[in-house]
Amino acid sequence: WTWELRGLFPIPPEPAAPPVTNLAPRLAYSYQPPSGTRGVLSFSNWSSVAQWSTTHVASQAAANDALTSKARELTSGATTEIDRIRAIGKYVQGLTYISIQTNLAKGGGYKPRAATDVFARSYGDCKDKANLMLAMLRTVGIESYLMAIYAGDPTYVREEYPTPSQFNHCILAVRVSPATEAPTVFDNASVGRLMAFDPTDPYSPVGDLPDHLQGSLALLMAGDAGGLVRMPVTPPDANRLDRTTEAKLGLDGSITGRISERSTGSRAVDARARFESESRTDYDARINRWIGAGVPGARIAKITPNDDRVANRFGLDIEFASDRYAQMMGGRLYVFKPVLVSRLQRIELRTDELRTQPVVLESQALAETARFELPPGMVVDEMPDPVKIDTSFGTYVTTYEVKEGVLVFTRSLTLKRATIPVAEFESARAFFTKIRDAESAPVVLVRK
């Protein structure tokens, strides 16, 4: 048999498009040998894939005295189940990631190295790390299972094609009691209550799962009870950024202020990754560029990041000033924009070209309150109308209020995880265009 794919055109990059692995055509085939044939590996369903995969991992999680002693040491001060999981998870995440594939012809690509070897050498690939965490959790009375998954494209795995070759990554499903609550906990009819966790990702703590894995189909390696399972998707409020701004405007157009951000969930993971992946000099320089893009001539007096991995929260406080924020017009009018800084997850959808790919949105929420102390002798002459935009995939709201010489501006954005088809692109473009216009609207002050 011969299969051919013809007329395959380049896939142009477009903002918020699906991964190329989702867009590029691929050919997959399954084969079944005649009944009774031996020595030919094939799979008729996901249960058989799970059973085969489990045979490669079951013998690799044996513990020795050194591994057991370390697990108990890590959890000695833990008072709850999730505290024990966090302690071991943090340790395994800290091990060096190195992928050395051997014995590939005999399942080496799917079989982790022995947990005791990974522990002794302090390095391993994704399946090695997941298997070590499984072994360490077991020594403190917590069961877990390896899960094969595809990293980078939650839609890559096809349910109708049962094979272990669809996966490129390995994570962990930890069996938890009702006392453990987290956005990544899900119920499995065969095994029970499970919490998904990626021991390889250095920024996502226990209780969170990287965006690119959420909603994916994964292979639960639990023998006869295993099979294909769907990863949870965290709701927008679990991935939230709260921002407050306190600013004072001067009669000469100057501004002094403080911006405070508090992130949770995947928004905290994003902030943590930016902070830890750069030197402090580069990090501060990027914050300067970000503030300077919205506040011309900004001078940053202080940048204070604060990371809480246990709660998966990240805080950032910035003190700034500028001598030329507002525009003075004719000595009487005073114009400024209440949106000081851009949203970091900003989406720009171009209209000058025909859209060819769907729009992919991640689950997130933003809530911002900005208070501006107005210059003495100035009052609001013109103020933008409040905005409220509701769609099936998102909501955006702005409000304005003046009280006792202070302008209070609020904005909120909630996006659901969604894939908007090309046929509905105009609704997404219109949504983000209205947001852009609302965030560009100025406030006009006038002398009394």
Side-chain angles (χ1 to χ4, degrees):
W1 293 86
T2 300
W3 294 269
E4 289 185 1
L5 293 174
R6 295 179 177 271
L8 302 180
F9 296 98
I11 300 173
E14 293 181 333
V20 172
T21 48
N22 176 268
L23 301 170
R26 57 189 167 110
L27 176 67
Y29 63 89
S30 296
Y31 57 87
Q32 300 297 324
S35 179
T37 302
R38 298 189 177 191
V40 178
L41 182 64
S42 63
F43 303 100
S44 58
N45 52 53
W46 284 107
S47 178
S48 63
V49 178
Q51 292 177 51
W52 176 85
S53 300
T54 303
T55 62
H56 282 287
V57 305
S59 63
Q60 300 301 97
N64 57 17
D65 290 344
L67 187 151
T68 301
S69 176
K70 183 63 176 180
R72 292 175 179 172
E73 173 195 329
L74 291 169
T75 58
S76 61
T79 57
T80 64
E81 177 182 69
I82 196 167
D83 285 341
R84 294 196 294 274
I85 300 170
R86 282 173 177 151
I88 291 175
K90 182 179 180 181
Y91 170 78
V92 175
Q93 280 181 314
L95 299 183
T96 302
Y97 177 88
I98 298 178
S99 179
I100 302 175
Q101 302 293 345
T102 60
N103 200 22
L104 292 176
K106 297 182 179 180
Y110 302 98
K111 185 175 183 177
R113 292 186 299 146
T116 50
D117 290 343
V118 177
F119 172 70
R121 296 169 184 170
S122 296
Y123 72 83
D125 63 11
C126 58
K127 60 185 178 294
D128 296 335
K129 286 190 161 202
N131 184 60
L132 173 60
M133 185 169 175
L134 181 152
M136 298 185 85
L137 287 172
R138 185 175 291 168
T139 66
V140 297
I142 299 174
E143 288 298 320
S144 57
Y145 308 90
L146 300 190
M147 288 194 297
I149 197 167
Y150 189 89
D153 182 358
T155 64
Y156 182 82
V157 175
R158 299 294 192 266
E159 191 170 1
E160 65 271 19
Y161 181 41
T163 172
S165 65
Q166 290 202 77
F167 308 103
N168 67 355
H169 190 43
C170 186
I171 62 175
L172 203 62
V174 184
R175 194 159 65 189
V176 294
S177 68
T180 294
E181 294 286 348
T184 56
V185 170
F186 64 101
D187 291 312
N188 180 265
S190 301
V191 177
R193 201 162 182 268
L194 300 172
M195 180 171 62
F197 175 62
D198 186 356
T200 302
D201 185 278
Y203 307 116
S204 299
V206 166
D208 192 67
L209 194 64
D211 281 338
H212 64 88
L213 300 180
Q214 293 186 24
S216 298
L217 287 170
L219 178 67
L220 180 67
M221 301 182 203
D224 294 343
L228 208 59
V229 295
R230 179 77 66 179
M231 291 297 93
V233 175
T234 56
D237 274 346
N239 308 305
R240 186 179 179 88
L241 170 62
D242 289 288
R243 179 187 295 144
T244 60
T245 299
E246 299 287 344
K248 182 176 181 179
L249 300 173
L251 276 171
D252 57 355
S254 62
I255 185 173
T256 58
R258 177 187 177 95
I259 296 174
S260 297
E261 293 191 343
R262 300 295 180 263
S263 305
T264 61
S266 61
R267 300 288 72 80
V269 171
D270 292 342
R272 181 178 301 117
R274 287 189 292 269
F275 178 62
E276 294 188 1
S277 63
E278 298 176 325
S279 69
R280 185 56 195 265
T281 299
D282 290 342
Y283 179 80
D284 287 354
R286 189 168 50 77
I287 296 295
N288 272 271
R289 290 192 298 272
W290 174 51
I291 299 296
V295 183
R299 304 184 306 277
I300 307 301
K302 193 174 183 180
I303 300 173
T304 309
N306 181 21
D307 189 11
D308 182 353
R309 276 181 176 265
V310 172
N312 197 18
R313 297 178 183 275
F314 192 93
L316 178 62
D317 295 310
I318 305 165
E319 297 177 15
F320 68 95
S322 173
D323 295 331
R324 49 187 179 91
Y325 180 64
Q327 290 181 302
M328 309 301 295
M329 304 178 66
R332 184 171 180 269
L333 297 181
Y334 187 107
V335 183
F336 73 98
K337 288 197 305 179
V339 175
L340 290 177
V341 293
S342 66
R343 292 170 284 109
L344 291 177
Q345 287 79 31
R346 189 169 179 172
I347 297 174
E348 294 287 351
L349 300 178
R350 296 176 59 182
T351 59
D352 57 344
E353 294 180 1
L354 180 65
R355 182 78 183 194
T356 62
Q357 301 161 18
V359 176
V360 177
L361 303 178
E362 298 294 345
S363 173
Q364 59 178 281
L366 164 72
E368 179 174 354
T369 299
R371 296 179 177 86
F372 295 88
E373 181 181 337
L374 303 181
M378 305 291 288
V379 295
V380 173
D381 185 53
E382 292 184 31
M383 195 161 53
D385 293 328
V387 173
K388 185 173 183 180
I389 314 168
D390 274 315
T391 68
S392 60
F393 53 82
T395 301
Y396 181 79
V397 178
T398 66
T399 67
Y400 298 84
E401 182 184 13
V402 180
K403 188 175 181 180
E404 297 180 353
V406 176
L407 170 70
V408 180
F409 164 73
T410 70
R411 61 172 168 167
S412 65
L413 172 66
T414 301
L415 291 178
K416 301 175 184 176
R417 188 183 183 97
T419 298
I420 302 170
V422 173
E424 300 175 19
F425 170 72
E426 179 55 32
S427 64
R429 187 204 63 78
F431 179 75
F432 289 105
T433 298
K434 289 177 182 178
I435 291 177
R436 183 192 63 201
D437 292 344
E439 295 182 347
S440 300
V443 171
V444 180
L445 306 182
V446 65
R447 292 189 184 276
K448 291 182 182 178

